[in-house]
Amino acid sequence: MNVSDELKEKAIALGLCTPWQKRWQNEDKHSLGQMYMKGLDFCIDHDYPSCAYMKKHFDGIMQQHGIFVDDIVNTSNLQEVVCNGYCSGMIIYDDFGTGTVYVRHQSNVSVKAEGNARVFIKVYDHANVNVSCSGNATATIIRHGGNVNSTGNVEFVECND
């Protein structure tokens, strides 16, 4: 069975909705990376696929889609970044950059927003995030778990799921 079929079978077992099942064909790994980002809520809710599976089958490809597992993440102005497993590093938004950062599992990252940047940071599990905003930059932290330290113009939203 190929990777696309394995992932589809597992997703169906986890309750993947019928429209997604019908759309899912024999996808290549880049298409699967795009699907992961589009269906990120499902993936986070079900911790699917596992970090080990992603690392084994998508290392070198997932990073091109803003998906990281056990990586050192040093990026700037990516529209979406997902840190899974034990990621660390610095994610920067500057000028008029905007984006959403998902920090999961035991990741430990810093997010820096400068100038007129606007960033949303969703924190889960046991992740640690250091957020600093300067200039007119703003950050909104949507906290489902984890720990956050912040300076500057930062707004918190606590989620009790």
Side-chain angles (χ1 to χ4, degrees):
M1 183 179 302
N2 67 32
V3 170
S4 180
D5 291 339
E6 283 179 15
L7 288 172
K8 183 178 181 181
E9 185 176 288
K10 175 69 174 170
I12 290 169
L14 292 170
L16 184 69
C17 67
T18 303
W20 270 81
Q21 290 179 40
K22 289 180 180 177
R23 246 186 317 209
W24 196 324
Q25 302 303 313
N26 188 19
E27 307 295 337
D28 66 23
K29 289 185 179 182
H30 283 286
S31 295
L32 290 168
Q34 292 169 343
M35 289 173 67
Y36 178 86
M37 294 305 281
K38 287 180 185 172
L40 192 54
D41 288 340
F42 176 88
C43 294
I44 289 172
D45 287 347
H46 297 285
D47 203 17
Y48 159 84
S50 71
C51 289
Y53 192 93
M54 287 192 289
K55 196 75 171 165
K56 178 179 179 182
H57 295 284
F58 294 94
D59 200 27
I61 294 172
M62 63 185 165
Q63 293 87 347
Q64 296 171 40
H65 298 278
I67 306 162
F68 300 90
V69 176
D70 302 337
D71 282 321
I72 296 173
V73 181
N74 292 311
T75 67
S76 60
N77 295 319
L78 285 182
Q79 187 174 18
E80 288 186 297
V81 176
V82 183
C83 298
N84 296 294
Y86 290 90
C87 288
S88 62
M90 174 69 76
I91 302 164
I92 298 172
Y93 292 88
D94 58 12
D95 296 325
F96 288 91
T98 60
T100 304
V101 179
Y102 301 82
V103 188
R104 305 181 58 216
H105 302 117
Q106 289 81 24
S107 292
N108 186 359
V109 299
S110 294
V111 179
K112 187 176 185 179
E114 304 171 314
N116 293 294
R118 179 79 173 119
V119 62
F120 294 87
I121 305 161
K122 297 185 176 189
V123 184
Y124 299 86
D125 310 312
H126 303 289
N128 292 295
V129 184
N130 293 304
V131 180
S132 66
C133 293
S134 61
N136 293 320
T138 61
T140 300
I141 312 295
I142 300 116
R143 196 165 158 263
H144 299 266
N147 300 298
V148 179
N149 293 312
S150 66
T151 59
N153 191 1
V154 178
E155 174 188 0
F156 283 83
V157 177
E158 296 289 332
C159 295
N160 298 318
D161 15 65

